[in-house]
Each structure stands twice: as C-alpha cells, then as structure tokens.
Amino acid sequence: MTPTRVAEHSPDGLSECAAIARRFDPDRFLCALFVPAPAREAAMTLVAFNHECVRALSTPVSWAVAGPIAGMIRLQWWRDVIDGGDPQRHPVAIALVDLLACGAVRADTVRGIVDARECELDGLPDWPAWRANMRAGAGGVQRAMAEVLDPRDDVACDAVAELGAVYGAGALARHLGAVLRSGRCPLPDVALDAVGLERDGLRDGAATAGQRAALHALLRAEGAAFHARALTIAPRLPRTVLPAALPAVLGRRDLRADGGDDGGARGIGDRLAVMVAMARGRV
C-alpha cells in the first residue's frame, strides 16, 4: 500500500523529499528513479529520512565538549516521530508518518535505521556488531524500499538488506576520509586497532593515506561477504523489488576502486552500470 498524501513540489517538479534526496544522496536518488511511479515518492521519503538521521550525527560543537549527546537527542526525536509523536511541520517527518500510517513500510525497519545511527555514536566494538549495524542502517533503507514494493516477500527483503549493506560498505570506502573527519566513525574498534588508529584520533584527521587504504581493503572484503550472503538468500531477486537493490551496483564499483579521500562525482559509467543492472534484472 502506498500513501495517498500529495507531496508539496518545488518549481522543478520535485517534492521536498525528492529534492533533499537529489541534493544530499544522489546515488540513492538515481536508483529511486527506477522505482515505479506509484511508489517513487515513498522511496524518496525514505532516502530523505536516512539523510536526516545521518545529519543528526553531525554536531557544530566540539566532540570533546558535547560527546554523543547532541546526536542522541536528535535521533530520539525521530524515534518519537516513528512511535506516534508530533512531526512538527517537518516535511520529511510528515511524509514518513504518512508512510507508516498507511502501512507502506514497517515501523521496526524504520526504527532500526535510527538505532543503527545511534550505534555509530556509541561505538561499534567488533565486526559482528558492525555487520548488524550495516544491515539495519544502510541495509534498512533499502529493505524499507523493498517493503514498499512487495511487503509480502520477506525473503527478497532480507536479500535486499544484505545488498543495502554492500552499498553502505562501498559508500563508506568511497568517502572514508571525509566521513572520519566529520566526527562520525562507523567502523568497528577492532578495524581501527588493526591499522593503528584510535577513535578519538580520527576526529582530528589523523588517518594517513596508507591507513585509509588498509581500511578500504577491509571494507572490500566485508562488502563481498554481504553480496555473497544476498545471493545465498535469493540467487535472483524478483523484478518487483529490484529497484530497491540497485545501490549495491554502485557499492560494488566503489569497493573495487582504489578508494579516495572524499570520492568524486559519479561518471557515466556508474549511471550506465545501474541501467544495465536494471535491464538485466541482476545486481
């Protein structure tokens, strides 16, 4: 079931949520364009919501002064909205409430996205915790889209969550330098230990090019494992949910690349890869 609320649109024809998605998450925005028109606005809402959760982790004050508290307060507001709180004229929150009210997406899936971001603030001790967090966070965004597209196919939704984690690992590798400097550290402590880094030091931009390359290699292996698990769960996804899995195409390309400090603009090759995957019916 998709929401009936008519979204506010900007002069360029995009809704508020779609405009946020295009500006702040162009990868998922591109992939969401392949979602059938009746469900596309729901997909854009989920992308915009995820951006708001990521933005909640950024704080304008020193981490040494505020710690994770400011981010936790912002995330708790979103958790309250999901649980029936007042969206307070926030356009993304209003659209999300509409999705939940009409049963287009499961509250537990959306709540898991918030929980995953909070775990980043708390710190992830080991690889099992990180993997679970990726499935709930980046994987949860794509799973929620799959629920909108075919809420009855739990197996396909599970596979899409794994593929969403592939994209999450790839995006982290692509923008690793910038992510670490921003104060976020969505990496397990054991990974930092393996390359001789400490969580607090990363916030000062202490990671060298060699250390970032070593972390990229670890992420490449984890992304490959997510992809293999997705294929085990569902060797071929139903075409109905395929658009929800398309970000994995970009994630796999990012993981195969050498990595960089902050990624570059997407090229025609990336866009063509997404189009070919959709045409072939495989990611």
Side-chain angles (χ1 to χ4, degrees):
M1 184 184 299
T2 54
T4 57
R5 174 180 177 270
V6 177
E8 297 292 332
H9 286 75
S10 60
D12 60 5
L14 292 177
S15 69
E16 291 172 281
C17 287
I20 290 170
R22 182 176 67 176
R23 179 178 179 185
F24 296 106
D25 197 342
D27 285 357
R28 287 192 178 96
F29 174 80
L30 167 66
C31 296
L33 294 177
F34 293 91
V35 171
R40 193 172 300 143
E41 186 56 33
M44 294 299 179
T45 296
L46 291 166
V47 176
F49 163 67
N50 181 62
H51 164 70
E52 292 293 334
C53 290
V54 172
R55 191 164 73 97
L57 305 188
S58 301
T59 176
V61 297
S62 169
W63 181 271
V65 173
I69 298 302
M72 288 181 176
I73 291 171
R74 295 187 184 101
L75 290 173
Q76 183 58 47
W77 185 83
W78 282 104
R79 194 177 285 111
D80 291 343
V81 167
I82 294 166
D83 291 339
D86 184 0
Q88 299 179 8
R89 300 178 67 182
H90 190 299
V92 179
I94 292 170
L96 181 67
V97 167
D98 285 348
L99 282 185
L100 292 167
C102 70
V105 66
R106 299 172 189 172
D108 285 347
T109 302
V110 178
R111 195 179 294 109
I113 297 169
V114 179
D115 292 344
R117 300 309 174 199
E118 186 168 279
C119 285
E120 291 183 24
L121 291 171
D122 289 335
L124 300 162
D126 51 33
W127 283 114
W130 180 85
R131 292 171 192 133
N133 210 54
M134 292 298 288
R135 292 186 182 104
V141 178
Q142 306 313 132
R143 182 191 179 95
M145 289 189 197
E147 291 173 359
V148 170
L149 292 168
D150 190 350
R152 299 164 297 180
D153 196 337
D154 285 334
V155 172
C157 289
D158 288 344
V160 168
E162 296 289 333
L163 292 167
V166 172
Y167 174 71
L172 179 53
R174 178 180 174 84
H175 300 286
L176 188 58
V179 168
L180 298 179
R181 288 194 303 273
S182 74
R184 292 176 59 201
C185 190
L187 287 163
D189 292 339
V190 293
L192 302 180
D193 292 342
V195 299
L197 288 171
E198 294 181 358
R199 188 173 297 274
D200 290 339
L202 289 176
R203 296 190 177 92
D204 300 325
T208 66
Q211 288 168 323
R212 288 195 299 271
L215 290 172
H216 185 110
L218 293 172
L219 290 169
R220 182 184 297 120
E222 292 296 325
F226 283 133
H227 188 259
R229 178 165 171 77
L231 292 177
T232 299
I233 296 170
R236 193 177 186 99
L237 287 173
R239 186 164 283 275
T240 52
V241 302
L242 186 64
L246 288 176
V249 175
L250 299 174
R252 294 184 73 200
R253 289 174 66 85
D254 291 338
L255 290 167
R256 286 195 297 266
D258 292 333
D261 186 54
D262 189 20
R266 289 290 183 193
I268 186 65
D270 292 311
R271 293 189 287 274
L272 284 174
V274 172
M275 295 171 64
V276 168
M278 188 66 197
R280 293 178 57 213
R282 300 186 71 90
V283 296

